[in-house]
């Protein structure tokens, strides 16, 4: 195994390095946080030991935050002095694998290395599996969809806020789920909120929670969606339909990483990645004073535009085949093929409802069409 030890005290660096090398591990050492970040981002390490208190520059907490933000998947073990335990526990909540208290115990170090190694192997295996699963769901090889896939691959490992734009039925929800599943937060909650479906008078309670007795029907404390998503990702779908008052509170949450439940007098800290989506022309909404420009700039660190199906017609044969297989499998029916002429007729159609409409049409043809489905079936039932 390859291990990085980060500590400003030479004695601890050399002692830990010598101990781990006696167990046949390859060990590098760094005496400050800045060097550690450079090394961890340029080399592949199986485990990283990092002291919490390091004078000057970056301390251990900042090293942890930077590496997680940059998508480094190495398990990070914090080394804590007696007075640093509370900080170490907070580090674990924010993504550290474990912490070891000084003075360092030989057996504890070796057990931690073993556990971290096993965890790292599982993370790599899960990442490969997730890429397979989500790569199969996002069907298409056209240039527009390949650009979206490339963006997802680059953006997912970061904690950057993402705004997904595109028409209804184009697959914005799938993009959001893929961003979460391919991120370092994939084992933490993923919470979806349909902003258009929540009445304006209830949006505060749904997003930020409420305290018992804060209004007539508040018979007990309720955790809002942001608190439920703590450590993970919240997907604010149809955010263009959110009221200006609720937008202001979402902006505060993004800026301060804190929320206040309805009827509460204490702030609650939350660590949430925000992904939002809308089918509206957001610039028009800003000009018409229906959407806050400052919130837009907070959300649009990364903008992913999902193409309409009419912009990626080359993908219709692949999508049709995928839906045939899935619909027949889910319903327990034998596969029903479509003739080449039937598929050409689908490609020629205008798809105002995008992929959602295509799926419904394929299901309708499987139920009502012949075997195989012909061009005449398409003309008759579509």
């Amino acid at each position: 195994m390859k291990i990085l030890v980060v500590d400003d005290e030479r004695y601890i660096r050399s002692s830990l390095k010598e101990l781990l090398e006696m167990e046949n591990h390859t060990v590098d050492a760094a005496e400050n946080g800045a060097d550690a970040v450079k090394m961890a981002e340029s080399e592949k390490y199986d485990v990283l030991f990092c002291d919490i208190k390091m004078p000057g520059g970056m301390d251990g907490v900042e090293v942890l935050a930077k590496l997680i933000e940059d998508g480094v998947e190495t398990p990070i073990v914090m080394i804590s002095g007696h007075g640093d335990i509370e900080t170490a526990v907070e580090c674990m909540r924010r993504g550290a694998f474990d912490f070891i208290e000084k003075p360092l115990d030989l057996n504890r170090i070796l057990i931690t290395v073993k556990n971290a190694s096993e965890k790292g192997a599982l993370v790599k295996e899960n990442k490969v599996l997730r890429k397979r699963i989500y790569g199969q769901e996002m069907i298409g090889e056209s240039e527009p969809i390949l650009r979206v896939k490339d963006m997802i691959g680059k953006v997912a490992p970061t904690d950057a806020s993402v705004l997904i734009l595109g028409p209804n039925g184009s697959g914005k929800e799938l993009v959001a789920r893929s961003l979460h599943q391919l991120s370092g937060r994939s084992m933490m909650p993923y919470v979806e909120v349909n902003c258009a479906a929540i009445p304006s008078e209830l949006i505060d309670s749904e997003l930020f929670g409420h305290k018992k007795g804060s209004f007539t029907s508040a018979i007990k404390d309720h955790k809002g969606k942001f608190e439920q998503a703590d450590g993970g990702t919240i997907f604010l779908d149809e955010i263009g339909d959110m009221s200006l008052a609720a937008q202001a509170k979402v902006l505060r949450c993004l800026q301060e990483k804190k929320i206040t439940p309805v009827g509460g007098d204490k702030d609650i800290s939350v660590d949430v990645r925000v992904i939002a989506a809308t089918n509206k022309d957001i610039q028009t909404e800003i000009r018409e004073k229906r959407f806050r420009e400052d919130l837009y700039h907070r959300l649009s660190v990364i903008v992913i535009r999902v193409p309409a199906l009419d912009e990626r017609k080359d993908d219709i044969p692949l999508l049709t085949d995928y839906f045939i297989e899935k619909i027949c499998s889910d319903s327990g029916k034998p596969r029903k093929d479509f003739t080449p002429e039937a598929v050409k007729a689908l490609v020629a159609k205008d798809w105002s409802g995008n992929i959602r409409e295509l799926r419904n049409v394929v299901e309708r043809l499987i139920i009502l069409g012949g075997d195989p489905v012909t061009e005449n079936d398409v003309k008759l039932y579509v």
Side-chain angles (χ1 to χ4, degrees):
M1 289 178 62
K2 192 168 186 178
I3 299 172
L4 176 60
V5 175
V6 188
D7 200 299
D8 62 299
E9 295 184 48
R10 180 182 296 177
Y11 171 74
I12 292 180
R13 286 200 311 274
S14 58
S15 298
L16 196 48
K17 187 174 189 295
E18 182 180 346
L19 167 65
L20 293 168
E21 286 177 340
M22 287 175 62
E23 297 292 323
N24 297 318
H25 299 302
T26 301
V27 184
D28 291 336
E31 63 179 344
N32 60 65
D35 288 348
V37 168
K38 290 178 184 177
M39 294 169 72
E41 291 184 341
S42 61
E43 296 282 339
K44 291 285 187 181
Y45 291 99
D46 298 293
V47 186
L48 189 155
F49 287 91
C50 184
D51 191 20
I52 289 179
K53 291 286 180 68
M54 290 187 288
M58 301 177 74
D59 63 14
V61 178
E62 292 170 315
V63 170
L64 172 69
K66 177 63 175 169
L67 293 180
I68 289 178
E69 179 185 346
D70 292 347
V72 175
E73 296 180 348
T74 304
I76 300 171
V77 181
M78 308 306 293
I79 301 173
S80 63
H82 178 69
D84 302 328
I85 300 300
E86 187 174 333
T87 304
V89 172
E90 177 64 16
C91 286
M92 288 188 66
R93 194 181 77 82
R94 295 185 175 275
F97 174 73
D98 200 354
F99 70 90
I100 297 180
E101 191 175 359
K102 296 177 181 178
L104 302 179
D105 177 81
L106 168 62
N107 290 329
R108 176 70 193 279
I109 290 170
L110 296 180
I111 290 171
T112 300
V113 168
K114 180 177 180 294
N115 292 341
S117 171
E118 292 174 352
K119 188 249 186 181
L122 284 173
V123 167
K124 290 176 184 176
E125 183 179 346
N126 287 339
K127 188 173 181 181
V128 170
L129 290 173
R130 288 197 303 270
K131 281 184 176 178
R132 288 176 184 168
I133 293 168
Y134 282 83
Q136 288 171 358
E137 284 193 8
M138 191 161 289
I139 304 300
E141 296 298 331
S142 64
E143 185 177 338
I145 205 65
L146 288 178
R147 285 199 299 268
V148 172
K149 289 181 180 181
D150 183 60
M151 286 278 286
I152 291 172
K154 291 177 179 176
V155 174
T158 75
D159 264 350
S161 299
V162 180
L163 180 61
I164 306 169
L165 304 177
N168 283 333
S170 58
K172 298 188 295 295
E173 301 91 341
L174 179 57
V175 172
R177 284 200 304 270
S178 297
L179 287 168
H180 173 72
Q181 288 294 332
L182 296 174
S183 75
R185 296 173 178 262
S186 60
M187 304 303 289
M188 302 302 285
Y190 174 74
V191 177
E192 295 188 38
V193 182
N194 186 340
C195 300
I198 304 173
S200 58
E201 63 271 16
L202 296 179
I203 191 76
D204 283 6
S205 173
E206 282 297 306
L207 291 179
F208 311 113
H210 62 249
K211 306 302 287 185
K212 179 180 178 181
S214 56
F215 49 88
T216 305
S217 59
I219 58 175
K220 61 180 180 179
D221 288 357
H222 167 71
K223 279 187 177 182
K225 300 296 187 182
F226 272 92
E227 192 174 357
Q228 292 173 31
D230 190 31
T233 304
I234 189 167
F235 174 45
L236 301 175
D237 196 12
E238 303 301 349
I239 196 169
D241 292 290
M242 182 181 284
S243 70
L244 288 169
Q247 289 177 34
K249 294 183 179 180
V250 170
L251 177 63
R252 175 182 179 256
C253 179
L254 286 169
Q255 289 173 331
E256 302 179 11
K257 299 188 182 298
K258 293 178 181 178
I259 59 169
T260 305
V262 176
D265 56 4
K266 292 183 179 179
D267 289 341
I268 299 172
S269 295
V270 290
D271 172 26
V272 177
R273 183 188 193 177
V274 176
I275 300 173
T278 182
N279 65 339
K280 295 190 173 183
D281 182 335
I282 204 71
Q283 295 301 331
T284 299
E285 296 298 301
I286 292 171
R287 284 195 301 272
E288 298 294 331
K289 306 296 184 184
R290 292 189 293 266
F291 199 86
R292 295 180 62 112
E293 187 171 9
D294 47 4
L295 177 58
Y296 167 75
H297 290 304
R298 278 281 174 176
L299 291 171
S300 62
V301 175
I302 302 293
V303 176
I304 297 179
R305 289 180 171 82
V306 183
L309 185 55
D310 284 339
E311 299 175 68
R312 46 178 294 215
K313 282 181 174 279
D314 290 348
D315 291 330
I316 289 176
L318 289 173
L319 286 162
T320 300
D321 189 66
Y322 172 78
F323 287 136
I324 293 169
E325 191 68 37
K326 183 168 178 56
I327 291 165
C328 291
S329 175
D330 289 349
S331 62
K333 295 179 180 178
R335 179 187 169 94
K336 183 183 283 191
D337 288 321
F338 285 40
T339 66
E341 292 75 20
V343 175
K344 286 180 181 178
L346 292 177
V347 172
K349 184 184 180 305
D350 292 329
W351 294 98
S352 59
N354 295 292
I355 295 172
R356 189 177 297 144
E357 182 187 7
L358 174 62
R359 189 202 182 284
N360 292 342
V361 165
V362 171
E363 186 170 12
R364 186 188 311 152
L365 289 169
I366 288 172
I367 295 170
L368 300 177
D371 190 4
V373 173
T374 66
E375 182 181 6
N376 286 335
D377 292 324
V378 175
K379 292 177 180 178
L380 184 61
Y381 297 117
V382 177

